Short mmCIF file of all heavy atoms in Angstrom, two decimals:
data_model
loop_
_atom_site.label_atom_id
_atom_site.label_comp_id
_atom_site.label_asym_id
_atom_site.label_seq_id
_atom_site.Cartn_x
_atom_site.Cartn_y
_atom_site.Cartn_z
N ALA A 1 18.39 6.68 -8.11
CA ALA A 1 17.15 6.03 -7.71
C ALA A 1 16.93 4.84 -8.63
O ALA A 1 17.32 4.86 -9.81
CB ALA A 1 15.97 7.00 -7.80
N SER A 2 16.31 3.77 -8.12
CA SER A 2 16.13 2.58 -8.94
C SER A 2 14.90 1.78 -8.51
O SER A 2 14.43 1.89 -7.37
CB SER A 2 17.37 1.67 -8.87
OG SER A 2 17.53 1.12 -7.57
N LEU A 3 14.41 0.99 -9.44
CA LEU A 3 13.37 -0.01 -9.20
C LEU A 3 13.99 -1.36 -9.51
O LEU A 3 14.53 -1.57 -10.60
CB LEU A 3 12.16 0.24 -10.11
CG LEU A 3 11.14 -0.90 -10.21
CD1 LEU A 3 10.44 -1.11 -8.87
CD2 LEU A 3 10.13 -0.63 -11.32
N ASP A 4 13.93 -2.28 -8.56
CA ASP A 4 14.55 -3.59 -8.71
C ASP A 4 13.55 -4.70 -8.43
O ASP A 4 12.70 -4.57 -7.54
CB ASP A 4 15.74 -3.74 -7.76
CG ASP A 4 16.80 -2.69 -7.99
OD1 ASP A 4 17.48 -2.76 -9.03
OD2 ASP A 4 16.95 -1.78 -7.15
N GLY A 5 13.67 -5.78 -9.17
CA GLY A 5 12.82 -6.94 -8.96
C GLY A 5 13.58 -8.22 -9.24
O GLY A 5 14.61 -8.22 -9.92
N ARG A 6 13.07 -9.31 -8.72
CA ARG A 6 13.72 -10.60 -8.93
C ARG A 6 12.74 -11.73 -8.65
O ARG A 6 11.71 -11.53 -8.00
CB ARG A 6 14.94 -10.75 -8.00
CG ARG A 6 14.63 -10.68 -6.52
CD ARG A 6 15.90 -10.66 -5.69
NE ARG A 6 15.63 -10.62 -4.26
CZ ARG A 6 15.43 -9.50 -3.57
NH1 ARG A 6 15.44 -8.33 -4.20
NH2 ARG A 6 15.21 -9.55 -2.27
N ARG A 7 13.07 -12.89 -9.13
CA ARG A 7 12.28 -14.07 -8.83
C ARG A 7 12.59 -14.53 -7.41
O ARG A 7 13.76 -14.57 -7.00
CB ARG A 7 12.63 -15.19 -9.81
CG ARG A 7 11.81 -16.45 -9.64
CD ARG A 7 12.37 -17.56 -10.50
NE ARG A 7 11.53 -18.74 -10.48
CZ ARG A 7 11.91 -19.93 -10.95
NH1 ARG A 7 13.13 -20.08 -11.45
NH2 ARG A 7 11.10 -20.96 -10.91
N SER A 8 11.57 -14.87 -6.65
CA SER A 8 11.79 -15.34 -5.29
C SER A 8 12.49 -16.69 -5.31
O SER A 8 12.20 -17.55 -6.15
CB SER A 8 10.46 -15.46 -4.56
OG SER A 8 10.65 -16.06 -3.28
N THR A 9 13.41 -16.88 -4.39
CA THR A 9 14.08 -18.17 -4.27
C THR A 9 13.17 -19.22 -3.66
O THR A 9 13.40 -20.41 -3.84
CB THR A 9 15.34 -18.04 -3.39
OG1 THR A 9 14.97 -17.51 -2.12
CG2 THR A 9 16.35 -17.12 -4.05
N VAL A 10 12.15 -18.80 -2.91
CA VAL A 10 11.26 -19.73 -2.23
C VAL A 10 10.02 -19.96 -3.10
O VAL A 10 9.29 -19.01 -3.39
CB VAL A 10 10.85 -19.19 -0.85
CG1 VAL A 10 9.92 -20.18 -0.14
CG2 VAL A 10 12.08 -18.89 -0.01
N PRO A 11 9.74 -21.18 -3.53
CA PRO A 11 8.56 -21.42 -4.36
C PRO A 11 7.27 -21.01 -3.64
O PRO A 11 7.11 -21.22 -2.44
CB PRO A 11 8.60 -22.94 -4.58
CG PRO A 11 10.04 -23.32 -4.40
CD PRO A 11 10.56 -22.39 -3.35
N GLY A 12 6.38 -20.35 -4.39
CA GLY A 12 5.10 -19.94 -3.83
C GLY A 12 5.10 -18.58 -3.19
O GLY A 12 4.03 -18.08 -2.82
N VAL A 13 6.26 -17.96 -3.04
CA VAL A 13 6.35 -16.62 -2.45
C VAL A 13 6.36 -15.58 -3.57
O VAL A 13 6.96 -15.79 -4.61
CB VAL A 13 7.61 -16.50 -1.58
CG1 VAL A 13 7.82 -15.06 -1.11
CG2 VAL A 13 7.53 -17.43 -0.38
N GLN A 14 5.67 -14.45 -3.34
CA GLN A 14 5.59 -13.40 -4.35
C GLN A 14 6.98 -12.88 -4.70
O GLN A 14 7.83 -12.68 -3.84
CB GLN A 14 4.73 -12.25 -3.83
CG GLN A 14 4.39 -11.21 -4.88
CD GLN A 14 3.39 -10.18 -4.36
OE1 GLN A 14 3.11 -10.12 -3.17
NE2 GLN A 14 2.84 -9.38 -5.26
N ASN A 15 7.22 -12.67 -5.99
CA ASN A 15 8.51 -12.18 -6.45
C ASN A 15 8.77 -10.78 -5.89
O ASN A 15 7.96 -9.87 -6.09
CB ASN A 15 8.56 -12.14 -7.97
CG ASN A 15 8.51 -13.52 -8.59
OD1 ASN A 15 8.91 -14.50 -7.98
ND2 ASN A 15 8.00 -13.60 -9.80
N PRO A 16 9.88 -10.56 -5.19
CA PRO A 16 10.14 -9.26 -4.53
C PRO A 16 10.35 -8.14 -5.53
O PRO A 16 10.99 -8.31 -6.57
CB PRO A 16 11.41 -9.52 -3.72
CG PRO A 16 11.56 -11.01 -3.64
CD PRO A 16 10.94 -11.54 -4.88
N GLN A 17 9.85 -6.96 -5.17
CA GLN A 17 10.13 -5.72 -5.87
C GLN A 17 10.40 -4.65 -4.82
O GLN A 17 9.77 -4.65 -3.76
CB GLN A 17 8.96 -5.28 -6.75
CG GLN A 17 8.75 -6.13 -7.98
CD GLN A 17 7.62 -5.59 -8.85
OE1 GLN A 17 6.64 -5.07 -8.35
NE2 GLN A 17 7.77 -5.73 -10.15
N GLU A 18 11.31 -3.74 -5.12
CA GLU A 18 11.62 -2.66 -4.18
C GLU A 18 12.13 -1.44 -4.92
O GLU A 18 12.61 -1.54 -6.06
CB GLU A 18 12.63 -3.12 -3.13
CG GLU A 18 13.98 -3.51 -3.69
CD GLU A 18 14.89 -4.10 -2.61
OE1 GLU A 18 14.56 -5.17 -2.08
OE2 GLU A 18 15.93 -3.47 -2.34
N VAL A 19 12.02 -0.30 -4.28
CA VAL A 19 12.58 0.95 -4.80
C VAL A 19 13.66 1.41 -3.84
O VAL A 19 13.61 1.13 -2.63
CB VAL A 19 11.50 2.04 -4.96
CG1 VAL A 19 10.53 1.67 -6.06
CG2 VAL A 19 10.77 2.28 -3.65
N SER A 20 14.64 2.13 -4.37
CA SER A 20 15.73 2.61 -3.53
C SER A 20 16.21 3.96 -4.02
O SER A 20 16.08 4.31 -5.20
CB SER A 20 16.90 1.62 -3.52
OG SER A 20 17.49 1.52 -4.81
N VAL A 21 16.75 4.75 -3.09
CA VAL A 21 17.42 6.00 -3.40
C VAL A 21 18.75 5.99 -2.68
O VAL A 21 18.86 5.43 -1.57
CB VAL A 21 16.59 7.24 -2.99
CG1 VAL A 21 15.33 7.34 -3.81
CG2 VAL A 21 16.25 7.19 -1.50
N GLY A 22 19.78 6.57 -3.28
CA GLY A 22 21.09 6.55 -2.66
C GLY A 22 21.98 7.66 -3.15
O GLY A 22 21.64 8.40 -4.08
N PHE A 23 23.15 7.77 -2.52
CA PHE A 23 24.12 8.79 -2.90
C PHE A 23 25.53 8.24 -2.80
O PHE A 23 25.79 7.27 -2.08
CB PHE A 23 23.99 10.03 -2.00
CG PHE A 23 24.54 9.81 -0.60
CD1 PHE A 23 25.85 10.14 -0.30
CD2 PHE A 23 23.74 9.27 0.41
CE1 PHE A 23 26.37 9.93 0.97
CE2 PHE A 23 24.25 9.07 1.67
CZ PHE A 23 25.57 9.40 1.97
N PHE A 24 26.43 8.86 -3.53
CA PHE A 24 27.87 8.58 -3.45
C PHE A 24 28.57 9.93 -3.49
O PHE A 24 28.45 10.66 -4.48
CB PHE A 24 28.33 7.69 -4.60
CG PHE A 24 29.75 7.22 -4.49
CD1 PHE A 24 30.04 6.01 -3.90
CD2 PHE A 24 30.80 8.00 -4.96
CE1 PHE A 24 31.36 5.57 -3.79
CE2 PHE A 24 32.11 7.58 -4.85
CZ PHE A 24 32.39 6.35 -4.26
N HIS A 25 29.29 10.28 -2.43
CA HIS A 25 29.91 11.60 -2.31
C HIS A 25 31.41 11.45 -2.14
O HIS A 25 31.89 10.75 -1.24
CB HIS A 25 29.33 12.36 -1.12
CG HIS A 25 29.99 13.69 -0.89
ND1 HIS A 25 29.86 14.75 -1.78
CD2 HIS A 25 30.80 14.14 0.11
CE1 HIS A 25 30.55 15.78 -1.33
NE2 HIS A 25 31.14 15.44 -0.19
N VAL A 26 32.17 12.12 -3.01
CA VAL A 26 33.63 12.10 -2.95
C VAL A 26 34.08 13.19 -1.99
O VAL A 26 33.85 14.38 -2.22
CB VAL A 26 34.24 12.33 -4.35
CG1 VAL A 26 35.75 12.40 -4.25
CG2 VAL A 26 33.80 11.22 -5.30
N LEU A 27 34.74 12.79 -0.89
CA LEU A 27 35.24 13.75 0.09
C LEU A 27 36.54 14.39 -0.38
O LEU A 27 36.73 15.60 -0.26
CB LEU A 27 35.44 13.05 1.43
CG LEU A 27 34.19 12.48 2.10
CD1 LEU A 27 34.57 11.65 3.33
CD2 LEU A 27 33.24 13.60 2.49
N ASN A 28 37.45 13.56 -0.88
CA ASN A 28 38.73 14.03 -1.39
C ASN A 28 39.30 12.95 -2.30
O ASN A 28 38.59 12.01 -2.66
CB ASN A 28 39.69 14.38 -0.24
CG ASN A 28 39.82 13.25 0.76
OD1 ASN A 28 40.04 12.10 0.38
ND2 ASN A 28 39.69 13.57 2.04
N ALA A 29 40.56 13.07 -2.65
CA ALA A 29 41.17 12.13 -3.61
C ALA A 29 41.23 10.70 -3.08
O ALA A 29 41.33 9.75 -3.87
CB ALA A 29 42.57 12.60 -3.98
N ASP A 30 41.15 10.52 -1.76
CA ASP A 30 41.33 9.19 -1.18
C ASP A 30 40.12 8.66 -0.41
O ASP A 30 40.15 7.52 0.04
CB ASP A 30 42.55 9.18 -0.24
CG ASP A 30 43.84 9.48 -0.96
OD1 ASP A 30 44.00 9.03 -2.11
OD2 ASP A 30 44.70 10.16 -0.38
N HIS A 31 39.08 9.46 -0.22
CA HIS A 31 37.96 9.04 0.60
C HIS A 31 36.62 9.40 -0.04
O HIS A 31 36.50 10.43 -0.71
CB HIS A 31 38.02 9.68 2.00
CG HIS A 31 39.24 9.33 2.78
ND1 HIS A 31 40.43 10.02 2.66
CD2 HIS A 31 39.46 8.34 3.70
CE1 HIS A 31 41.33 9.49 3.46
NE2 HIS A 31 40.77 8.47 4.11
N ALA A 32 35.62 8.55 0.19
CA ALA A 32 34.26 8.81 -0.26
C ALA A 32 33.30 8.17 0.74
O ALA A 32 33.67 7.26 1.49
CB ALA A 32 34.02 8.25 -1.66
N ILE A 33 32.07 8.66 0.77
CA ILE A 33 31.02 8.07 1.59
C ILE A 33 29.83 7.76 0.68
O ILE A 33 29.66 8.37 -0.38
CB ILE A 33 30.58 8.99 2.75
CG1 ILE A 33 30.09 10.34 2.21
CG2 ILE A 33 31.70 9.15 3.75
CD1 ILE A 33 29.53 11.24 3.30
N LYS A 34 29.00 6.81 1.11
CA LYS A 34 27.84 6.42 0.32
C LYS A 34 26.75 5.93 1.25
O LYS A 34 27.00 5.55 2.41
CB LYS A 34 28.20 5.32 -0.68
CG LYS A 34 28.68 4.03 -0.02
CD LYS A 34 29.01 2.96 -1.04
CE LYS A 34 29.41 1.66 -0.35
NZ LYS A 34 29.62 0.56 -1.32
N GLY A 35 25.52 5.93 0.76
CA GLY A 35 24.41 5.47 1.57
C GLY A 35 23.19 5.27 0.71
O GLY A 35 23.10 5.78 -0.42
N SER A 36 22.21 4.52 1.22
CA SER A 36 20.96 4.31 0.48
C SER A 36 19.86 3.91 1.45
O SER A 36 20.12 3.46 2.58
CB SER A 36 21.13 3.24 -0.60
OG SER A 36 21.33 1.96 -0.03
N ALA A 37 18.63 4.08 0.99
CA ALA A 37 17.45 3.63 1.71
C ALA A 37 16.55 2.92 0.70
O ALA A 37 16.49 3.33 -0.48
CB ALA A 37 16.71 4.80 2.37
#
């Protein structure tokens, strides 16, 4: 889980902030899946 923020590239626009949750799952020695919201 993370909290991220940055300066907006567009002058006058509020600096974006967002939260995210995600996973990374190893299926086997050669494959993995991942996802986030």
Side-chain angles (χ1 to χ4, degrees):
S2 67
L3 166 67
D4 301 290
R6 61 187 181 273
R7 183 189 186 193
S8 173
T9 57
V10 181
V13 172
Q14 190 173 12
N15 293 334
Q17 289 183 325
E18 63 186 65
V19 292
S20 65
V21 293
F23 74 92
F24 187 94
H25 176 68
V26 177
L27 297 172
N28 52 49
D30 297 324
H31 299 86
I33 58 175
K34 62 179 183 175
S36 68

